[in-house]
Amino acid sequence: MEHHDTMIIKGGYPLSGEITLREAKNSVSKNMVAALLTAQTCVLRNVPSIRDVHIVCDMIRRLGGKATLTESGDVEISVGEPGTLSAADWAEFASQSRIPILLCGPLLARLGAAVIAIGPRPVDFHIPALRNFGATIEDRGADGLLLRALKLRGCKIRLDYPSVGATEQVLLTAVLAEGVTELSNAAVEPEIMDLIMLLQKMGAVISVDTDRVITVTGVGSLRGFFHTAMPDPLEAASWACAAVSTGGDILVRNARQMDLMTF
């Protein structure tokens, strides 16, 4: 194992000090995908330098867009006229992350077509959901699946279980679809609420009911955004556990009680 893959921890010492949370790891990459829904510049603040962030930046650049990570921890994204990804590109990115499948809705909305390569990650929900919006699927064998949609149309979808990934796919597809989309048994985790707030900043029309129903009224276009996403509740919980387990004293800044109620 190479040196940079090895971490040696010597225990037995209380941990103390301060840490400031960065953007939630399970949220930031989905927020970056939302930038594909507009030709305008989008800025995400306080972004962690994690693998998924760099993967999405690479995907955006392969699509012909710009994605720049600044020294201050911001990411600036601009996708004026997106191109397409080859099946080989899809396979490469899908082998590293579960994020690529979420590009389908934005690319269908902006281009009317998308190519995806089915990799080891399950996409059982995503393909039928895109069909519900009016997409046609053509199996091109080694060249992957070709998705086409001259016009995305709103629809009614009920999830078998409140999957976060499935809810994200519907939201990212519905915001530019014609008409109304009603998603029932949706996930309502904090990262879903954060994505909804970001989409609303872009001009999306979304309402959330108390019975896990999310209603989206499609709009003709969306604008860019400046957004500081939710702080990472998993990171906050990890620091809390580290303090308790070592008898330490750690101040975790930016933690929000609402996101940590279950913990």
Side-chain angles (χ1 to χ4, degrees), residues 121-169:
R121 300 177 185 275
V123 293
D124 294 349
F125 164 81
H126 299 271
I127 300 303
L130 293 166
R131 277 200 178 101
N132 284 343
F133 281 101
T136 60
I137 317 294
E138 178 186 340
D139 190 344
R140 294 193 163 186
D143 292 329
L145 301 179
L146 174 62
L147 282 65
R148 285 199 184 100
L150 294 178
K151 182 178 290 185
L152 293 170
R153 292 181 173 85
C155 55
K156 288 189 176 183
I157 297 176
R158 178 175 178 81
L159 300 181
D160 292 334
Y161 64 96
S163 159
V164 170
T167 301
E168 292 164 343
Q169 181 70 268

Short mmCIF file of all heavy atoms in Angstrom, two decimals, residues 121-169:
data_model
loop_
_atom_site.label_atom_id
_atom_site.label_comp_id
_atom_site.label_asym_id
_atom_site.label_seq_id
_atom_site.Cartn_x
_atom_site.Cartn_y
_atom_site.Cartn_z
N ARG A 121 -23.46 -0.22 -10.96
CA ARG A 121 -24.38 0.39 -10.01
C ARG A 121 -25.81 0.24 -10.50
O ARG A 121 -26.11 0.43 -11.68
CB ARG A 121 -24.03 1.87 -9.80
CG ARG A 121 -22.63 2.06 -9.25
CD ARG A 121 -22.27 3.52 -9.11
NE ARG A 121 -20.88 3.66 -8.69
CZ ARG A 121 -20.48 3.61 -7.43
NH1 ARG A 121 -21.34 3.43 -6.48
NH2 ARG A 121 -19.19 3.74 -7.13
N PRO A 122 -26.76 -0.10 -9.60
CA PRO A 122 -28.14 -0.32 -10.02
C PRO A 122 -28.81 0.96 -10.50
O PRO A 122 -28.64 2.03 -9.92
CB PRO A 122 -28.81 -0.86 -8.75
CG PRO A 122 -27.97 -0.35 -7.62
CD PRO A 122 -26.57 -0.30 -8.15
N VAL A 123 -29.58 0.86 -11.58
CA VAL A 123 -30.33 2.01 -12.10
C VAL A 123 -31.78 1.60 -12.34
O VAL A 123 -32.47 2.15 -13.18
CB VAL A 123 -29.70 2.55 -13.40
CG1 VAL A 123 -28.33 3.15 -13.13
CG2 VAL A 123 -29.60 1.45 -14.46
N ASP A 124 -32.25 0.61 -11.56
CA ASP A 124 -33.58 0.04 -11.77
C ASP A 124 -34.67 1.10 -11.75
O ASP A 124 -35.63 1.03 -12.52
CB ASP A 124 -33.88 -1.02 -10.70
CG ASP A 124 -32.96 -2.22 -10.82
OD1 ASP A 124 -32.25 -2.31 -11.84
OD2 ASP A 124 -32.95 -3.06 -9.91
N PHE A 125 -34.57 2.07 -10.86
CA PHE A 125 -35.60 3.09 -10.78
C PHE A 125 -35.43 4.15 -11.86
O PHE A 125 -36.40 4.62 -12.45
CB PHE A 125 -35.60 3.77 -9.41
CG PHE A 125 -36.38 5.06 -9.43
CD1 PHE A 125 -37.76 5.05 -9.32
CD2 PHE A 125 -35.75 6.29 -9.59
CE1 PHE A 125 -38.49 6.22 -9.39
CE2 PHE A 125 -36.46 7.47 -9.65
CZ PHE A 125 -37.85 7.43 -9.54
N HIS A 126 -34.20 4.56 -12.12
CA HIS A 126 -33.94 5.75 -12.92
C HIS A 126 -34.48 5.65 -14.35
O HIS A 126 -35.09 6.60 -14.85
CB HIS A 126 -32.43 6.04 -12.93
CG HIS A 126 -31.87 6.30 -11.58
ND1 HIS A 126 -31.83 7.56 -11.02
CD2 HIS A 126 -31.34 5.47 -10.64
CE1 HIS A 126 -31.28 7.50 -9.81
NE2 HIS A 126 -30.98 6.24 -9.57
N ILE A 127 -34.26 4.51 -14.99
CA ILE A 127 -34.71 4.36 -16.38
C ILE A 127 -36.23 4.41 -16.49
O ILE A 127 -36.77 5.17 -17.31
CB ILE A 127 -34.14 3.07 -17.01
CG1 ILE A 127 -32.60 3.09 -17.00
CG2 ILE A 127 -34.66 2.90 -18.43
CD1 ILE A 127 -31.98 4.28 -17.70
N PRO A 128 -36.99 3.63 -15.67
CA PRO A 128 -38.45 3.75 -15.74
C PRO A 128 -38.95 5.16 -15.42
O PRO A 128 -39.92 5.63 -16.03
CB PRO A 128 -38.93 2.74 -14.69
CG PRO A 128 -37.83 1.75 -14.57
CD PRO A 128 -36.57 2.54 -14.77
N ALA A 129 -38.32 5.85 -14.49
CA ALA A 129 -38.74 7.20 -14.14
C ALA A 129 -38.57 8.14 -15.32
O ALA A 129 -39.45 8.95 -15.63
CB ALA A 129 -37.94 7.71 -12.95
N LEU A 130 -37.43 8.03 -16.03
CA LEU A 130 -37.20 8.89 -17.19
C LEU A 130 -38.19 8.57 -18.30
O LEU A 130 -38.63 9.46 -19.03
CB LEU A 130 -35.75 8.72 -17.68
CG LEU A 130 -34.69 9.25 -16.69
CD1 LEU A 130 -33.30 8.75 -17.08
CD2 LEU A 130 -34.70 10.77 -16.64
N ARG A 131 -38.59 7.29 -18.42
CA ARG A 131 -39.63 6.92 -19.39
C ARG A 131 -40.94 7.62 -19.03
O ARG A 131 -41.68 8.07 -19.92
CB ARG A 131 -39.84 5.41 -19.39
CG ARG A 131 -38.85 4.64 -20.26
CD ARG A 131 -39.41 3.26 -20.60
NE ARG A 131 -38.52 2.52 -21.47
CZ ARG A 131 -37.69 1.56 -21.06
NH1 ARG A 131 -37.65 1.25 -19.78
NH2 ARG A 131 -36.92 0.92 -21.91
N ASN A 132 -41.26 7.69 -17.74
CA ASN A 132 -42.49 8.36 -17.31
C ASN A 132 -42.52 9.82 -17.75
O ASN A 132 -43.58 10.38 -18.01
CB ASN A 132 -42.65 8.29 -15.78
CG ASN A 132 -43.10 6.92 -15.30
OD1 ASN A 132 -43.60 6.12 -16.09
ND2 ASN A 132 -42.92 6.65 -14.03
N PHE A 133 -41.34 10.44 -17.82
CA PHE A 133 -41.25 11.84 -18.25
C PHE A 133 -41.30 11.98 -19.77
O PHE A 133 -41.26 13.09 -20.29
CB PHE A 133 -39.98 12.48 -17.71
CG PHE A 133 -40.06 12.88 -16.27
CD1 PHE A 133 -39.49 12.09 -15.28
CD2 PHE A 133 -40.69 14.06 -15.89
CE1 PHE A 133 -39.55 12.47 -13.94
CE2 PHE A 133 -40.77 14.44 -14.56
CZ PHE A 133 -40.20 13.64 -13.58
N GLY A 134 -41.33 10.85 -20.49
CA GLY A 134 -41.43 10.91 -21.94
C GLY A 134 -40.18 10.52 -22.69
O GLY A 134 -40.15 10.63 -23.93
N ALA A 135 -39.16 10.05 -22.00
CA ALA A 135 -37.93 9.66 -22.66
C ALA A 135 -38.09 8.30 -23.34
O ALA A 135 -38.78 7.42 -22.83
CB ALA A 135 -36.77 9.60 -21.67
N THR A 136 -37.47 8.16 -24.51
CA THR A 136 -37.41 6.86 -25.17
C THR A 136 -36.01 6.29 -24.98
O THR A 136 -35.03 7.04 -24.92
CB THR A 136 -37.71 6.98 -26.67
OG1 THR A 136 -36.75 7.85 -27.29
CG2 THR A 136 -39.10 7.54 -26.90
N ILE A 137 -35.92 4.96 -24.87
CA ILE A 137 -34.65 4.31 -24.58
C ILE A 137 -34.30 3.37 -25.72
O ILE A 137 -35.10 2.53 -26.12
CB ILE A 137 -34.72 3.49 -23.27
CG1 ILE A 137 -35.47 4.25 -22.16
CG2 ILE A 137 -33.33 3.07 -22.82
CD1 ILE A 137 -34.79 5.49 -21.67
N GLU A 138 -33.09 3.53 -26.25
CA GLU A 138 -32.60 2.65 -27.32
C GLU A 138 -31.31 1.98 -26.86
O GLU A 138 -30.33 2.65 -26.51
CB GLU A 138 -32.34 3.45 -28.60
CG GLU A 138 -31.78 2.63 -29.74
CD GLU A 138 -31.40 3.48 -30.94
OE1 GLU A 138 -31.90 4.62 -31.06
OE2 GLU A 138 -30.57 3.01 -31.75
N ASP A 139 -31.33 0.65 -26.82
CA ASP A 139 -30.15 -0.11 -26.40
C ASP A 139 -29.19 -0.23 -27.58
O ASP A 139 -29.52 -0.85 -28.60
CB ASP A 139 -30.56 -1.50 -25.90
CG ASP A 139 -29.41 -2.24 -25.24
OD1 ASP A 139 -28.25 -1.83 -25.42
OD2 ASP A 139 -29.66 -3.22 -24.53
N ARG A 140 -28.00 0.36 -27.44
CA ARG A 140 -27.01 0.31 -28.51
C ARG A 140 -25.86 -0.63 -28.17
O ARG A 140 -24.74 -0.45 -28.65
CB ARG A 140 -26.49 1.72 -28.78
CG ARG A 140 -27.56 2.65 -29.35
CD ARG A 140 -26.96 3.92 -29.89
NE ARG A 140 -27.87 4.63 -30.78
CZ ARG A 140 -27.54 5.71 -31.48
NH1 ARG A 140 -26.30 6.19 -31.40
NH2 ARG A 140 -28.41 6.30 -32.26
N GLY A 141 -26.13 -1.60 -27.35
CA GLY A 141 -25.13 -2.60 -27.02
C GLY A 141 -23.92 -2.01 -26.33
O GLY A 141 -24.03 -1.36 -25.29
N ALA A 142 -22.76 -2.19 -26.94
CA ALA A 142 -21.51 -1.71 -26.35
C ALA A 142 -21.46 -0.19 -26.24
O ALA A 142 -20.69 0.35 -25.45
CB ALA A 142 -20.31 -2.21 -27.15
N ASP A 143 -22.30 0.49 -27.03
CA ASP A 143 -22.32 1.96 -26.99
C ASP A 143 -23.29 2.50 -25.95
O ASP A 143 -23.57 3.70 -25.92
CB ASP A 143 -22.67 2.52 -28.38
CG ASP A 143 -21.56 2.27 -29.38
OD1 ASP A 143 -20.38 2.24 -28.96
OD2 ASP A 143 -21.86 2.08 -30.58
N GLY A 144 -23.84 1.60 -25.12
CA GLY A 144 -24.71 2.04 -24.03
C GLY A 144 -26.14 2.27 -24.45
O GLY A 144 -26.60 1.80 -25.50
N LEU A 145 -26.88 2.99 -23.64
CA LEU A 145 -28.27 3.30 -23.90
C LEU A 145 -28.38 4.74 -24.40
O LEU A 145 -27.78 5.65 -23.82
CB LEU A 145 -29.12 3.16 -22.64
CG LEU A 145 -29.16 1.79 -21.96
CD1 LEU A 145 -30.05 1.85 -20.72
CD2 LEU A 145 -29.65 0.71 -22.90
N LEU A 146 -29.14 4.95 -25.45
CA LEU A 146 -29.40 6.29 -25.95
C LEU A 146 -30.78 6.72 -25.46
O LEU A 146 -31.79 6.10 -25.77
CB LEU A 146 -29.35 6.32 -27.48
CG LEU A 146 -29.74 7.66 -28.13
CD1 LEU A 146 -28.80 8.77 -27.70
CD2 LEU A 146 -29.79 7.52 -29.64
N LEU A 147 -30.82 7.79 -24.68
CA LEU A 147 -32.07 8.34 -24.19
C LEU A 147 -32.42 9.58 -25.01
O LEU A 147 -31.56 10.43 -25.23
CB LEU A 147 -31.95 8.74 -22.70
CG LEU A 147 -32.02 7.63 -21.66
CD1 LEU A 147 -30.85 6.67 -21.78
CD2 LEU A 147 -32.04 8.24 -20.26
N ARG A 148 -33.67 9.66 -25.45
CA ARG A 148 -34.12 10.84 -26.20
C ARG A 148 -35.42 11.35 -25.60
O ARG A 148 -36.26 10.56 -25.15
CB ARG A 148 -34.35 10.49 -27.67
CG ARG A 148 -33.10 10.32 -28.52
CD ARG A 148 -33.47 10.45 -29.99
NE ARG A 148 -32.33 10.20 -30.88
CZ ARG A 148 -32.12 9.06 -31.50
NH1 ARG A 148 -32.94 8.06 -31.32
NH2 ARG A 148 -31.09 8.92 -32.31
N ALA A 149 -35.61 12.65 -25.65
CA ALA A 149 -36.88 13.25 -25.22
C ALA A 149 -36.98 14.62 -25.89
O ALA A 149 -36.30 15.57 -25.49
CB ALA A 149 -36.95 13.39 -23.71
N LEU A 150 -37.82 14.71 -26.93
CA LEU A 150 -38.01 15.99 -27.57
C LEU A 150 -38.62 16.99 -26.59
O LEU A 150 -38.34 18.19 -26.64
CB LEU A 150 -38.92 15.84 -28.79
CG LEU A 150 -38.34 15.02 -29.95
CD1 LEU A 150 -39.35 14.91 -31.08
CD2 LEU A 150 -37.04 15.65 -30.44
N LYS A 151 -39.44 16.47 -25.69
CA LYS A 151 -40.03 17.31 -24.65
C LYS A 151 -40.31 16.45 -23.42
O LYS A 151 -40.96 15.42 -23.51
CB LYS A 151 -41.33 17.95 -25.15
CG LYS A 151 -41.99 18.88 -24.13
CD LYS A 151 -43.25 19.51 -24.70
CE LYS A 151 -42.90 20.50 -25.79
NZ LYS A 151 -44.11 21.22 -26.29
N LEU A 152 -39.76 16.87 -22.28
CA LEU A 152 -40.07 16.20 -21.02
C LEU A 152 -41.43 16.69 -20.53
O LEU A 152 -41.74 17.88 -20.58
CB LEU A 152 -38.99 16.51 -19.98
CG LEU A 152 -37.59 15.94 -20.26
CD1 LEU A 152 -36.58 16.53 -19.28
CD2 LEU A 152 -37.59 14.42 -20.18
N ARG A 153 -42.24 15.76 -20.03
CA ARG A 153 -43.58 16.10 -19.56
C ARG A 153 -43.75 15.64 -18.11
O ARG A 153 -43.33 14.55 -17.75
CB ARG A 153 -44.65 15.47 -20.44
CG ARG A 153 -44.70 16.05 -21.85
CD ARG A 153 -45.81 15.40 -22.67
NE ARG A 153 -45.96 16.07 -23.97
CZ ARG A 153 -45.25 15.79 -25.05
NH1 ARG A 153 -44.33 14.85 -24.98
NH2 ARG A 153 -45.46 16.43 -26.17
N GLY A 154 -44.39 16.48 -17.32
CA GLY A 154 -44.66 16.14 -15.93
C GLY A 154 -45.50 14.89 -15.82
O GLY A 154 -46.24 14.52 -16.73
N CYS A 155 -45.38 14.22 -14.68
CA CYS A 155 -46.08 12.94 -14.49
C CYS A 155 -46.29 12.69 -13.00
O CYS A 155 -45.82 13.46 -12.15
CB CYS A 155 -45.27 11.80 -15.10
SG CYS A 155 -43.57 11.69 -14.48
N LYS A 156 -47.00 11.62 -12.69
CA LYS A 156 -47.18 11.19 -11.31
C LYS A 156 -46.31 9.96 -11.06
O LYS A 156 -46.35 9.00 -11.83
CB LYS A 156 -48.64 10.86 -11.02
CG LYS A 156 -49.55 12.08 -10.94
CD LYS A 156 -50.93 11.69 -10.42
CE LYS A 156 -51.80 12.94 -10.24
NZ LYS A 156 -53.13 12.60 -9.68
N ILE A 157 -45.54 10.01 -10.00
CA ILE A 157 -44.65 8.90 -9.64
C ILE A 157 -44.79 8.62 -8.15
O ILE A 157 -44.77 9.55 -7.33
CB ILE A 157 -43.17 9.23 -9.97
CG1 ILE A 157 -42.97 9.45 -11.47
CG2 ILE A 157 -42.25 8.14 -9.46
CD1 ILE A 157 -41.56 9.87 -11.84
N ARG A 158 -44.92 7.35 -7.81
CA ARG A 158 -44.91 6.95 -6.41
C ARG A 158 -43.74 5.99 -6.20
O ARG A 158 -43.62 4.98 -6.89
CB ARG A 158 -46.21 6.28 -5.99
CG ARG A 158 -46.18 5.82 -4.52
CD ARG A 158 -47.48 5.26 -4.02
NE ARG A 158 -47.33 4.81 -2.65
CZ ARG A 158 -47.36 5.59 -1.58
NH1 ARG A 158 -47.55 6.90 -1.74
NH2 ARG A 158 -47.21 5.12 -0.37
N LEU A 159 -42.88 6.32 -5.26
CA LEU A 159 -41.72 5.48 -4.98
C LEU A 159 -42.12 4.30 -4.11
O LEU A 159 -42.94 4.43 -3.19
CB LEU A 159 -40.64 6.30 -4.27
CG LEU A 159 -40.09 7.51 -5.02
CD1 LEU A 159 -39.00 8.19 -4.19
CD2 LEU A 159 -39.54 7.12 -6.39
N ASP A 160 -41.53 3.14 -4.38
CA ASP A 160 -41.77 1.97 -3.54
C ASP A 160 -41.24 2.19 -2.14
O ASP A 160 -41.80 1.69 -1.16
CB ASP A 160 -41.11 0.73 -4.16
CG ASP A 160 -41.78 0.31 -5.46
OD1 ASP A 160 -42.98 0.63 -5.63
OD2 ASP A 160 -41.11 -0.32 -6.30
N TYR A 161 -40.14 2.93 -2.05
CA TYR A 161 -39.61 3.35 -0.75
C TYR A 161 -38.98 4.72 -0.94
O TYR A 161 -38.60 5.09 -2.06
CB TYR A 161 -38.58 2.34 -0.21
CG TYR A 161 -37.34 2.20 -1.04
CD1 TYR A 161 -36.18 2.91 -0.72
CD2 TYR A 161 -37.31 1.37 -2.15
CE1 TYR A 161 -35.03 2.80 -1.50
CE2 TYR A 161 -36.17 1.25 -2.93
CZ TYR A 161 -35.03 1.96 -2.59
OH TYR A 161 -33.91 1.85 -3.35
N PRO A 162 -38.88 5.52 0.12
CA PRO A 162 -38.41 6.91 -0.03
C PRO A 162 -36.91 7.01 -0.26
O PRO A 162 -36.14 7.39 0.62
CB PRO A 162 -38.83 7.56 1.29
CG PRO A 162 -38.89 6.43 2.27
CD PRO A 162 -39.34 5.22 1.49
N SER A 163 -36.49 6.67 -1.47
CA SER A 163 -35.07 6.67 -1.83
C SER A 163 -34.58 8.10 -2.08
O SER A 163 -35.22 8.86 -2.81
CB SER A 163 -34.87 5.82 -3.09
OG SER A 163 -33.67 6.14 -3.75
N VAL A 164 -33.43 8.43 -1.51
CA VAL A 164 -32.83 9.75 -1.73
C VAL A 164 -32.43 9.93 -3.19
O VAL A 164 -32.76 10.93 -3.83
CB VAL A 164 -31.61 9.96 -0.80
CG1 VAL A 164 -30.84 11.21 -1.20
CG2 VAL A 164 -32.07 10.06 0.66
N GLY A 165 -31.74 8.94 -3.76
CA GLY A 165 -31.30 9.04 -5.14
C GLY A 165 -32.46 9.16 -6.12
O GLY A 165 -32.41 9.93 -7.08
N ALA A 166 -33.53 8.37 -5.89
CA ALA A 166 -34.69 8.43 -6.76
C ALA A 166 -35.37 9.79 -6.67
O ALA A 166 -35.80 10.36 -7.68
CB ALA A 166 -35.67 7.32 -6.39
N THR A 167 -35.48 10.32 -5.46
CA THR A 167 -36.09 11.64 -5.27
C THR A 167 -35.28 12.71 -5.98
O THR A 167 -35.83 13.60 -6.64
CB THR A 167 -36.23 11.96 -3.77
OG1 THR A 167 -37.04 10.96 -3.14
CG2 THR A 167 -36.86 13.32 -3.55
N GLU A 168 -33.95 12.63 -5.89
CA GLU A 168 -33.09 13.59 -6.58
C GLU A 168 -33.27 13.51 -8.09
O GLU A 168 -33.34 14.54 -8.77
CB GLU A 168 -31.63 13.33 -6.19
CG GLU A 168 -31.32 13.66 -4.74
CD GLU A 168 -30.01 13.04 -4.25
OE1 GLU A 168 -29.50 12.10 -4.90
OE2 GLU A 168 -29.51 13.49 -3.21
N GLN A 169 -33.36 12.30 -8.63
CA GLN A 169 -33.55 12.13 -10.08
C GLN A 169 -34.84 12.80 -10.55
O GLN A 169 -34.84 13.51 -11.56
CB GLN A 169 -33.59 10.64 -10.44
CG GLN A 169 -33.74 10.34 -11.91
CD GLN A 169 -32.51 10.68 -12.72
OE1 GLN A 169 -32.39 11.80 -13.24
NE2 GLN A 169 -31.57 9.74 -12.82
#
